Amino acid sequence: MTDREIAILAAKQFNPNEIVSIEPYGNGHINATWLAIHKSDDGKEAKNLLQKISTVAFKKPDELMENIVGVTEFLRDKVEEDGTLTVIKTLDGKNIYIDEFGNYWRVYKFIDDAIAYQQIENDNDFYICGLAFGEFQQMLAEYPAEKLHETIVNFHNTPSRYADFKKALAEDKMGRAKDVQPEIDFVLAREGKADGITSKLESGEIPYRVTHNDTKLNNILIDNETGKAKCVIDLDTVMPGAAAYDFGDSIRFGASTGAEDETDLSKISVDTHLFEVFAKGYLSTANKFLTPAEKDSLVTGAYLMTLECGVRFLTDYLNGDVYFKIHRENHNLDRCRTQFKLVADMEAKEAELRAIVDSIK
Ligand code: ADP
Ligand code: GN1
Ligand code: MG
């Protein structure tokens, strides 16, 4: 059976009506996403967002879906219509369908008339994203964190990511280490900085909050008509974490002057203006609840989320590209290189970035 045929069988478990079209959708690196359009009883069309959950990333899909149902139901009456994801159950009332090959499938209501950007097109959109992620953290401040399963253990624990990297390097399964010595050296030279956030969480200097943990630009939908944030999506990694993780991951992706997989590294740097725009949006809400130590950790968060992401891409390259989806040879290597270029640029601009955060009251 082809991937499409398997997806069609899955789509029918959630909506038995005739499928008008079913196509791969979006640019996520983890799950396999399809837009399935069904005929609906009123003669119109029903759009479903169908996803095959990555079991390489998520070991316990049932727990993952419990988190998502809990969080989305908690948010439901705090947001407008389509302001959070809506889980569509299988015909027999389950959150997940497991097919004959052992694939795990879920469906969300497709949120229409909104766009997930791959790169910032105008400053205001990035301000809007900052505002939305700040509000998302604020809304989840009351969520009972003890109800959340840890969907990926040690997700943003940078020292633990270093340990994974060293294991991959020692094993060197694909024999690729010999070709990437400069990247390996880059990572090892910064190991001393890896615990910049985790040590503060462990000592209690900064608090654990319920965070999104994957706040890149294409995990937020911007309303086509109003230009406002419509919905924060990709809730797979909502778990206790540091506010700086969410701030940092948005900067890593959105404040870069180039794409995450750009091969011309001369095009990659941190745009300090975009950094400021996002920080203003985020802090317009977050200034009300962040402690001084947390605010002080935001630039470190941007730095470590970028370093960590580069380490993860390089680790996956060494492991044979088993975690992040790739679309060309050396894709994960190209991705890690942009991250390391950004890291080096953040080192050069650290004082400037800190001054920007401090100036936003
Ligand atoms: P991944 O974990 O692989 O990144 P996502 O959940 O982020 O998967 O989905 C991939 C893409 O699909 C998103 O970037 C977005 O473009 C689109 N998408 C996801 N959920 C919805 C939804 N409910 N409505 C419309 N588009 C969505
Ligand atoms: C993945 O799922 P997606 O594509 O939104 C990854 C993030 C990385 C990002 C890099 C669950 O995000 O942690 O920062 O790729 N998500 C997971 O682009 O590992
Ligand atoms: Mg995503």
Side-chain angles (χ1 to χ4, degrees):
M1 266 200 266
T2 63
D3 286 351
R4 179 182 303 271
E5 285 163 346
I6 296 171
I8 288 172
L9 283 181
K12 293 215 157 174
Q13 305 301 315
F14 297 85
N15 183 337
N17 291 349
E18 186 184 328
I19 293 173
V20 182
S21 78
I22 184 161
E23 294 299 333
Y25 191 81
N27 291 286
H29 291 344
I30 305 297
N31 300 305
T33 302
W34 298 78
L35 170 56
I37 307 182
H38 297 259
K39 278 200 173 150
S40 78
D41 299 334
D42 58 8
K44 294 189 190 143
E45 290 177 342
K47 290 185 180 174
N48 276 354
L49 197 287
L50 170 73
Q51 285 186 319
K52 185 173 81 181
I53 300 171
S54 165
T55 47
V56 175
F58 303 106
K59 306 294 178 203
K60 295 179 180 167
D62 288 314
E63 290 190 357
L64 168 74
M65 291 310 290
E66 264 179 46
N67 276 9
I68 291 180
V69 170
V71 168
T72 53
E73 290 319 309
F74 178 84
L75 291 176
R76 186 84 47 211
D77 58 0
K78 302 185 191 307
V79 294
E80 295 184 5
E81 199 191 345
D82 284 342
T84 189
L85 291 169
T86 303
V87 173
I88 294 183
K89 292 187 187 289
T90 61
L91 299 176
D92 53 359
K94 302 208 170 74
N95 291 325
I96 286 182
Y97 164 66
I98 307 175
D99 70 17
E100 60 185 283
F101 308 102
N103 297 315
Y104 286 71
W105 296 89
R106 68 165 169 221
V107 165
Y108 293 125
K109 178 181 171 198
F110 181 80
I111 299 171
D112 229 336
D113 304 318
I115 180 163
Y117 287 104
Q118 301 313 318
Q119 208 162 343
I120 279 301
E121 288 175 12
N122 69 65
D123 291 5
N124 188 50
D125 284 341
F126 205 33
Y127 179 88
I128 294 292
C129 291
L131 188 71
F133 283 125
E135 285 174 350
F136 186 82
Q137 275 183 358
Q138 191 177 35
M139 284 190 288
L140 286 179
E142 303 295 310
Y143 192 78
E146 68 281 0
K147 274 194 175 177
L148 288 169
H149 302 286
E150 205 175 356
T151 55
I152 298 178
V153 178
N154 287 327
F155 189 58
H156 282 318
N157 184 320
T158 312
S160 163
R161 296 296 188 175
Y162 261 81
D164 295 345
F165 165 74
K166 286 181 167 175
K167 181 166 179 281
L169 182 58
E171 290 176 356
D172 192 18
K173 284 181 193 154
M174 313 297 292
R176 290 176 171 176
K178 62 181 183 325
D179 304 324
V180 291
Q181 198 57 47
E183 287 75 16
I184 293 168
D185 292 343
F186 188 94
V187 171
L188 295 177
R190 285 157 181 80
E191 188 171 7
K193 298 187 177 177
D195 71 349
I197 298 287
T198 46
S199 63
K200 290 191 169 136
L201 283 170
E202 281 158 18
S203 70
E205 195 182 323
I206 56 175
Y208 280 97
R209 296 184 181 276
V210 175
T211 45
H212 181 284
N213 295 310
D214 190 0
T215 51
K216 69 179 177 183
L217 204 54
N218 62 15
N219 286 332
I220 188 164
L221 299 176
I222 306 287
D223 191 302
N224 289 339
E225 215 166 285
T226 64
K228 301 241 168 76
K230 189 161 185 173
C231 187
V232 171
I233 60 169
D234 201 345
L235 305 178
D236 293 338
T237 50
V238 172
M239 287 181 281
Y245 294 161
D246 285 0
F247 177 84
D249 199 51
S250 286
I251 295 300
R252 173 190 78 74
F253 192 89
S256 170
T257 52
E260 194 185 59
D261 60 357
E262 174 61 58
T263 51
D264 179 355
L265 292 180
S266 71
K267 291 187 181 156
I268 300 291
S269 64
V270 180
D271 184 324
T272 53
H273 174 65
L274 281 178
F275 177 93
E276 180 168 10
V277 165
F278 184 88
K280 280 185 174 158
Y282 175 74
L283 288 171
S284 68
T285 302
N287 256 340
K288 295 177 202 137
F289 61 81
L290 293 184
T291 66
E294 273 179 304
K295 192 170 173 186
D296 192 54
S297 72
L298 296 179
V299 172
T300 308
Y303 179 77
L304 282 184
M305 288 300 93
T306 313
L307 176 61
E308 178 189 279
C309 196
V311 170
R312 292 173 63 200
F313 286 142
L314 185 58
T315 302
D316 200 33
Y317 177 74
L318 293 172
N319 283 337
D321 310 305
V322 289
Y323 184 91
F324 296 103
K325 279 191 268 170
I326 57 164
H327 307 291
R328 60 178 190 241
E329 212 184 325
N330 294 341
H331 209 166
N332 277 318
L333 180 59
D334 293 340
R335 288 170 176 152
C336 98
R337 287 178 171 153
T338 62
Q339 302 308 293
F340 295 158
K341 180 80 194 289
L342 288 171
V343 164
D345 199 37
M346 285 182 192
E347 286 170 355
K349 292 174 179 165
E350 181 181 353
E352 193 183 342
L353 299 179
R354 288 194 181 277
I356 291 171
V357 170
D358 289 345
S359 72
I360 306 170
K361 303 292 179 200

